[in-house]
Amino acid sequence: MTELRGPVRIVGTGLIGTSIGLALARLGVVVELVDADPDNALMAERIGAGSRLVQLEPQLVVVAVPPDHVGAVVAEQLKQTDAIVTDAASVKSKPLAEARTLSSAEDLTRYVGSHPMAGSERNGPLAGRADLFDGATWAVTPHETSDPDAVELVRRLAEAAGARTVELSVEDHDLAVARVSHLPQLMSSLAAGTLVDAPAAHLELSGQGVRDVTRIAASDPGLWTQIVSANSPALSGLLEGIRDELDRLLIALGKEEAADEVTAVLNRGVSGAVRVPGKHGAPHIELVAVLVTIPDRPGQLARLFNDAAASGANVEDLRIDHSPGRPVGEVELDVKPDSVDQLVRVLTERGWAVHR
Amino acid sequence: MTELRGPVRIVGTGLIGTSIGLALARLGVVVELVDADPDNALMAERIGAGSRLVQLEPQLVVVAVPPDHVGAVVAEQLKQTDAIVTDAASVKSKPLAEARTLSSAEDLTRYVGSHPMAGSERNGPLAGRADLFDGATWAVTPHETSDPDAVELVRRLAEAAGARTVELSVEDHDLAVARVSHLPQLMSSLAAGTLVDAPAAHLELSGQGVRDVTRIAASDPGLWTQIVSANSPALSGLLEGIRDELDRLLIALGKEEAADEVTAVLNRGVSGAVRVPGKHGAPHIELVAVLVTIPDRPGQLARLFNDAAASGANVEDLRIDHSPGRPVGEVELDVKPDSVDQLVRVLTERGWAVHR
């Protein structure tokens, strides 16, 4: 069996690298911290993610540098050490191609890509958390010549960090993240972009829909430029599909009767939306929404959740509707169908305005 | 002064019509209920939204029928009565054009469009609620020849229902909703559509971003086909802009260095996203996210919100991160900057794992 013994060298002590260090340090694994910016490595060391000075040769190197540099740093680490090398980049084809160009075929057997799927809106070592990966998905993406022991060691790393591993080929992984992450990001950015020149009065008509669709458009453009550029082959195919659908839609909208094409786009959207896994992973769990009107002042949510808990219902998801200017808020509690009646009864008894 | 005295005739007793009836009935205004489907009108009457038999001539008629029929019904009511006539459709140019074709110029002065911006995922009279419009935005859209007294009466209606009115020209309104509602809907549907043929393993990599972007893609295609088709002039211009940006993006992604065009799209997205009003309307309020890890079992949210309330912080928004398979959940509490320190201190003291 391939055990994760350490030391583990982490190259790049941003959010991801530092969080991996913190997760391993809590298990007693020796972690070496390396960063091109000495202040970053120092900060990561100070919060307990590892040490900047480790004399022993690493068993495993984790490359967690910005996307544009991953391939080169992987190749460098393969050359400098005899360790297994993995990386944490969110696109896998490009770093593999770069590492392949820069490394010997023999060295490349020690490389296995991986992608821990957790993040935060905050960056840098001080945002690092030992529990960032608890229960998160961590894709492990071996290439054709990856050594099976190396693959196993990278799995152990992910599990040590608390994650659930999913093994995918490099190509499959990149198409998957293009679909479930990079394309939604671009669609959100394009939709939000139409609001730049809108008169303020137009924005007053905003509701929850536009808020949801444009939320991730506020993400860091520097990081996302690197991700989108790195995954352009997988993304281009999907974007061409969208462009072609837009062309058909535009032709239809110019005619007297646009209905068929519009309905086709909307129906396809429904079929896709219901496939997105819910709270506890696929399959999609049927939840029922219970709407409760609440006064917008401190303590009301606490009172509501006390009363919901008293009914025995587990709130699986919730949303606050915060339409501009409403003096009261509306909270949507999503619960399993068999909890609904009891929840509605208890909340109503306790004086809440409840709607199903 | 133009007072809303009633009777008010409501034509179309679905969610919106019934809710208007319930809101007026609570003020003692006489409401007449009319629906092509007698069962619908009967249900609306039974829950107290008004009466199917009112002998008096209406002062105001509210047309709340499906989008495709609004223009014809407005014209019919202008002809049958001497009342002021408004409608509740979410697109204003098309019903106005239809009513203009079917009505005399004199009758048309009694018509003023309006758009109550509230809804629910549920339809039909039984989903009706007297408080549906409390604090909601209600656009009032006079045309060139609308009588000022008629405009005033429609404002009174909106205020009587508890809404906040915004006056916009018909053209401005339709461009505004194309931007903040119809375009986001189509972008969400197009993004979700790419998931239809995805292997299940790809969907396992879904995170909160794709869930947010695709949420409204699950909306009713029948209703949205009517809305999108009715607003095709305003939407086409925006969709052409998106299509052109996609074309530029695809050309850039095919080249060695895509960065500039990608960054331009992402930067524009950031500028647009920050313009979307937050909870209490424009301007966008700065909120700080405090992340709390919680065990996924009943009562934990109640405990968390009790503890948050004890800190004196008002939770302005919140989100549950429900990544597939995580045994613990993460709740994001959004609070004003001056509440953060106290909130973090109190939650930490009470044993919560808190991250900023």
Side-chain angles (χ1 to χ4, degrees):
Chain A
M1 290 299 291
T2 310
E3 296 297 341
L4 180 70
R5 298 178 315 269
V8 174
R9 175 184 292 169
I10 293 173
V11 185
T13 54
L15 168 71
I16 298 294
T18 300
S19 295
I20 295 173
L22 289 166
L24 295 178
R26 74 182 169 181
L27 300 176
V29 175
V30 173
V31 176
E32 179 184 358
L33 302 169
V34 177
D35 199 296
D37 177 346
D39 284 351
N40 268 352
L42 178 62
M43 277 190 282
E45 184 181 84
R46 286 216 175 128
I47 63 172
S51 167
R52 288 171 301 157
L53 293 170
V54 171
Q55 302 293 341
L56 298 166
E57 278 296 302
Q59 180 199 18
L60 173 66
V61 177
V62 181
V63 175
V65 300
D68 280 355
H69 303 287
V70 173
V73 176
V74 164
E76 190 179 274
Q77 293 293 322
L78 286 171
K79 197 164 289 175
Q80 282 178 12
T81 70
D82 293 321
I84 308 299
V85 176
T86 189
D87 70 303
S90 53
V91 176
K92 308 313 318 171
S93 307
K94 191 175 170 235
L96 173 62
E98 288 168 354
R100 187 175 271 146
T101 308
L102 299 167
S103 307
S104 70
E106 197 190 330
D107 280 353
L108 203 69
T109 61
R110 287 184 282 120
Y111 170 63
V112 179
S114 77
H115 178 198
M117 306 201 62
S120 159
E121 278 147 42
R122 302 182 59 226
N123 298 314
L126 297 183
R129 298 161 39 186
D131 65 356
L132 186 67
F133 308 106
D134 276 357
T137 300
W138 188 311
V140 177
T141 61
H143 57 90
E144 299 74 12
T145 62
S146 291
D147 186 289
D149 284 348
V151 179
E152 181 61 23
L153 188 65
V154 173
R155 278 188 176 280
R156 294 297 170 107
L157 168 73
E159 286 160 13
R164 185 175 68 92
T165 60
V166 175
E167 194 171 314
L168 288 166
S169 73
V170 169
E171 297 69 29
D172 240 7
H173 170 276
D174 285 0
L175 187 53
V177 290
R179 274 189 168 118
V180 301
S181 171
H182 309 170
L183 181 86
Q185 175 65 44
L186 287 174
M187 296 297 275
S188 179
S189 297
L190 288 166
T194 65
L195 305 175
V196 172
D197 309 318
H202 289 193
L203 291 160
E204 277 192 65
L205 304 188
S206 299
Q208 194 56 39
V210 66
R211 272 192 284 274
D212 282 351
V213 171
T214 61
R215 186 182 64 83
I216 57 172
S219 307
D220 176 17
L223 175 66
W224 274 95
T225 296
Q226 293 187 38
I227 294 172
V228 166
S229 305
N231 205 19
S232 62
L235 255 174
S236 292
L238 295 172
L239 287 173
E240 276 165 17
I242 301 269
R243 195 262 322 270
D244 295 347
E245 242 180 309
L246 268 178
D247 275 335
R248 284 196 296 275
L249 200 55
L250 277 164
I251 292 169
L253 288 175
K255 292 182 188 160
E256 190 68 12
E257 196 41 270
D260 286 356
E261 184 60 35
V262 175
T263 305
V265 168
L266 295 167
N267 278 338
R268 222 174 124 74
V270 173
S271 306
V274 300
R275 295 197 68 203
V276 178
K279 186 174 180 187
H280 291 289
H284 198 80
I285 295 174
E286 282 306 319
L287 295 176
V288 178
V290 173
L291 302 169
V292 187
T293 303
I294 67 165
D296 185 14
R297 54 176 191 262
Q300 295 305 305
L301 280 172
R303 191 163 74 81
L304 173 62
F305 285 104
N306 273 331
D307 293 346
S311 83
N314 193 20
V315 176
E316 303 285 337
D317 198 2
L318 58 89
R319 190 172 5 251
I320 298 187
D321 176 14
H322 32 95
S323 297
R326 290 190 85 140
V328 293
E330 187 163 84
V331 175
E332 176 185 320
L333 306 176
D334 296 326
V335 297
K336 297 207 176 113
D338 59 7
S339 304
V340 173
D341 289 343
Q342 178 73 357
L343 176 65
V344 170
R345 194 179 60 72
V346 170
L347 292 182
T348 306
E349 276 172 14
R350 296 182 180 208
W352 295 97
V354 183
H355 318 283
R356 297 169 65 168
Chain B
M1 291 299 290
T2 311
E3 296 295 341
L4 180 70
R5 299 178 314 271
V8 175
R9 174 185 294 170
I10 292 173
V11 185
T13 55
L15 168 71
I16 298 294
T18 300
S19 295
I20 295 173
L22 289 166
L24 295 177
R26 73 183 170 180
L27 300 175
V29 176
V30 173
V31 176
E32 177 183 2
L33 301 169
V34 178
D35 199 295
D37 177 347
D39 284 350
N40 268 351
L42 178 62
M43 278 190 282
E45 183 180 83
R46 285 215 176 131
I47 64 171
S51 167
R52 287 171 300 158
L53 292 171
V54 171
Q55 303 291 341
L56 298 166
E57 277 296 301
Q59 178 198 20
L60 173 67
V61 177
V62 181
V63 175
V65 301
D68 279 356
H69 303 286
V70 172
V73 177
V74 164
E76 189 180 274
Q77 293 294 322
L78 287 172
K79 194 164 293 176
Q80 282 179 13
T81 71
D82 293 320
I84 308 297
V85 176
T86 189
D87 70 304
S90 53
V91 175
K92 308 311 322 169
S93 307
K94 192 175 169 234
L96 173 61
E98 288 168 355
R100 187 175 271 145
T101 309
L102 300 167
S103 308
S104 71
E106 195 189 331
D107 280 353
L108 202 68
T109 61
R110 288 185 281 119
Y111 169 62
V112 179
S114 76
H115 177 198
M117 305 202 61
S120 159
E121 278 147 41
R122 303 181 60 225
N123 299 315
L126 295 183
R129 298 161 38 188
D131 65 357
L132 186 68
F133 308 106
D134 277 356
T137 301
W138 188 311
V140 177
T141 61
H143 57 89
E144 300 72 15
T145 62
S146 291
D147 185 291
D149 284 347
V151 178
E152 182 61 23
L153 188 65
V154 173
R155 278 190 175 277
R156 295 298 171 106
L157 168 73
E159 286 160 13
R164 183 176 69 90
T165 60
V166 176
E167 194 171 313
L168 288 166
S169 73
V170 169
E171 298 70 26
D172 240 7
H173 170 276
D174 284 0
L175 187 52
V177 290
R179 275 193 167 114
V180 302
S181 172
H182 310 168
L183 181 85
Q185 176 66 43
L186 286 174
M187 296 298 274
S188 179
S189 297
L190 288 166
T194 65
L195 304 175
V196 172
D197 308 316
H202 289 192
L203 291 160
E204 277 192 64
L205 303 188
S206 298
Q208 194 57 41
V210 66
R211 273 191 284 272
D212 283 352
V213 171
T214 61
R215 186 180 64 82
I216 56 173
S219 306
D220 176 17
L223 176 65
W224 274 96
T225 296
Q226 293 187 38
I227 293 172
V228 167
S229 304
N231 205 20
S232 62
L235 254 174
S236 291
L238 295 172
L239 286 174
E240 276 165 17
I242 300 267
R243 195 260 323 268
D244 294 348
E245 244 181 308
L246 267 179
D247 275 335
R248 284 195 296 275
L249 200 55
L250 277 164
I251 291 169
L253 287 176
K255 291 181 186 162
E256 190 67 10
E257 197 40 271
D260 287 356
E261 184 61 35
V262 175
T263 306
V265 169
L266 295 167
N267 278 337
R268 224 175 122 75
V270 173
S271 305
V274 299
R275 296 196 68 201
V276 178
K279 187 175 179 186
H280 291 289
H284 196 80
I285 295 175
E286 281 307 318
L287 295 176
V288 178
V290 172
L291 302 169
V292 187
T293 303
I294 67 164
D296 184 16
R297 54 175 192 262
Q300 295 303 304
L301 280 171
R303 192 163 73 82
L304 174 62
F305 285 105
N306 273 332
D307 293 347
S311 83
N314 193 19
V315 175
E316 302 285 337
D317 197 3
L318 60 87
R319 189 172 5 250
I320 297 187
D321 176 14
H322 33 93
S323 298
R326 291 191 83 141
V328 293
E330 188 163 85
V331 176
E332 176 185 320
L333 305 176
D334 297 326
V335 297
K336 297 205 176 115
D338 59 7
S339 302
V340 174
D341 289 343
Q342 178 72 357
L343 175 64
V344 170
R345 195 178 61 70
V346 170
L347 292 183
T348 306
E349 277 172 12
R350 296 182 179 209
W352 295 98
V354 182
H355 317 283
R356 296 170 65 169

